[in-house]
Amino acid sequence: MSLFHQIALSCLPGIGSVLARNLLSFFGNEEEVFNAKRKHLSKVPGIGPKTRELIINHKVFKFAEVELEFIEKYKIKPYFLTDLDYPKRLKNCADAPILLYFKGNADLNSNKIISVVGTRNATDYGKDICKNLMADLKVHNPLIVSGLAYGIDFAAHKEAHKLGIPSIGVLGHGLDRIYPAQHRAMAEKMLECGGLLTEFMSGTIPDRENFPKRNRIIAGLCDVTIVVEASIKGGALITAELANSYNRDVFAFPGRLNDEFSLGCNHLIKTNRANLITKSADIEYIMGWSSEVGKVQKPQLSLPINLTDDEKIISNVLTNHGSLAFDDLSYLTSFQQSKLVHILLGMEIQGVLISLPGKVYRLV
């Protein structure tokens, strides 16, 4: 497919992630969107007369040319929604960006991906939590994701780098700049062990409205979102809410009742929007990770011969991969999530597989 047209589609005015998906689904590929006639555009769900005219009379090709040159010059890796290596966890989110720009060496489909978020006004308490958390999680070889902002974000990236844990900084602007500028040195280190990721083209400045959009990538890219310190309002709680909406696990460290930057964490726990944790072992237990470290795989028992074709697909995938999270199963089997829930329930009732904490499944 044409990267030029993929970039052009991503910057069409009035077209967000959801409408872009509708256009791709209707026309088959991004190039055909730009060849479409008015009468055909009118049939696409969500495309009204105003949006249709914006597509017909677009002037985005000149922007696509500039961005294509930037990508080639600075060796940026683009991930389009239909690419096989597009982050599979994020692809399952209905509002996932249709195009991502990445610079670095991390695997965005790593086995365990954890986002760490929190206040920009991190206290010593929050920084110590980040330090201890990274040290304890290192055994799982995770990929850490945060926003390269002041406070908890920076502390998470810093501690991960010290331990050789790859981390991804998700940006609210283009890859031609770093914001805040004081974090440039850390960003450069992350390119050697991790990377920088954004949905925004070069030239995009860090406007305020970009950061809530950035937060949905942080939430959708990961298996787990951990809130270390947070006030009652702010980006960390937005990220936690998004993670919940994506059916991801959310954890929060509690704090003292009257501490401003613990109010958000305590609220998440109180309203059952996050699991209370005090140490990494809590995460390992809930996610079913503790039994995986140093575990010797037992030979699989022979499966019942009366499995349906769909059940056989799932059993074969689990045989090859061991335990898998729900999102990974959905990706590897290509089953819609609603269908997969039904099949997994039936297999669990039959005693073919078991459900572990953290929405993880494995064969009996």
Side-chain angles (χ1 to χ4, degrees), residues 121-135:
N121 301 288
T123 66
D124 289 340
Y125 169 73
K127 294 175 183 177
D128 285 341
I129 287 177
C130 285
K131 181 178 180 179
N132 295 329
L133 182 65
M134 293 301 125

Side-chain angles (χ1 to χ4, degrees), residues 35-303:
N35 294 329
K37 299 186 182 302
R38 281 182 173 83
K39 63 179 181 179
H40 295 139
L41 284 169
S42 300
K43 298 178 181 179
V44 180
I47 303 297
K50 183 178 179 180
T51 306
R52 180 192 63 204
E53 294 307 311
L54 287 173
I55 296 172
I56 292 291
N57 300 307
H58 74 85
K59 297 179 181 179
V60 297
F61 281 173
K62 60 181 179 180
F63 301 116
E65 289 175 358
V66 172
E67 192 65 13
L68 193 57
E69 291 178 4
F70 177 81
I71 288 173
E72 293 172 349
K73 180 177 180 180
Y74 293 101
K75 297 180 172 58
I76 307 299
K77 169 64 178 176
Y79 291 98
F80 193 66
L81 187 65
T82 55
D83 292 344
L84 293 177
D85 53 355
Y86 185 97
K88 60 180 183 288
R89 296 169 178 83
L90 188 59
K91 185 179 289 190
N92 286 328
C93 305
D95 58 351
I98 63 165
L99 185 60
L100 296 167
Y101 302 100
F102 179 65
K103 189 169 180 62
N105 56 18
D107 178 6
L108 300 183
N109 286 308
S110 293
N111 188 38
K112 296 183 178 73
I113 305 183
I114 302 169
S115 67
V116 180
V117 297
T119 177
R120 292 171 179 250
N121 301 288
T123 66
D124 289 340
Y125 169 73
K127 294 175 183 177
D128 285 341
I129 287 177
C130 285
K131 181 178 180 179
N132 295 329
L133 182 65
M134 293 301 125
D136 291 342
L137 290 175
K138 180 177 171 60
V139 68
H140 295 286
N141 300 313
L143 174 63
I144 302 300
V145 176
S146 197
L148 199 62
Y150 291 112
I152 294 300
D153 286 20
F154 185 79
H157 291 306
K158 178 182 177 182
E159 296 301 331
H161 179 74
K162 283 182 179 179
L163 295 168
I165 302 172
S167 72
I168 298 291
V170 184
L171 310 178
H173 49 79
L175 286 173
D176 57 331
R177 69 192 70 213
I178 293 297
Y179 175 83
Q182 294 92 322
H183 293 173
R184 178 172 296 278
M186 176 55 64
E188 291 174 353
K189 293 175 182 177
M190 289 163 61
L191 292 177
E192 301 171 2
C193 183
L196 303 173
L197 181 70
T198 185
E199 67 177 303
F200 298 105
M201 298 172 60
S202 61
T204 305
I205 63 175
D207 285 332
R208 180 184 297 271
E209 61 267 23
N210 293 352
F211 291 95
K213 296 178 182 178
R214 181 272 309 268
N215 291 342
R216 84 188 194 285
I217 299 177
I218 295 176
L221 195 64
C222 305
D223 304 297
V224 178
T225 292
I226 302 173
V227 187
V228 174
E229 276 189 309
S231 58
I232 202 65
K233 294 182 180 180
L237 260 66
I238 292 173
T239 305
E241 292 292 344
L242 287 164
N244 274 311
S245 73
Y246 297 150
N247 200 30
R248 307 297 161 81
D249 288 276
V250 179
F251 299 86
F253 283 90
R256 291 184 298 186
L257 296 180
N258 297 322
D259 284 355
E260 178 184 355
F261 300 115
S262 290
L263 292 177
C265 290
N266 293 343
H267 175 74
L268 289 171
I269 296 166
K270 178 181 177 181
T271 55
N272 295 316
R273 289 178 169 86
N275 298 290
L276 185 153
I277 56 169
T278 58
K279 53 187 181 300
S280 65
D282 299 331
I283 302 171
E284 293 168 348
Y285 172 74
I286 293 174
M287 296 302 297
W289 291 351
S290 56
S291 60
E292 296 179 9
V293 179
K295 178 179 177 180
V296 177
Q297 292 292 332
K298 296 180 180 179
Q300 294 287 347
L301 298 176
S302 58
L303 294 172

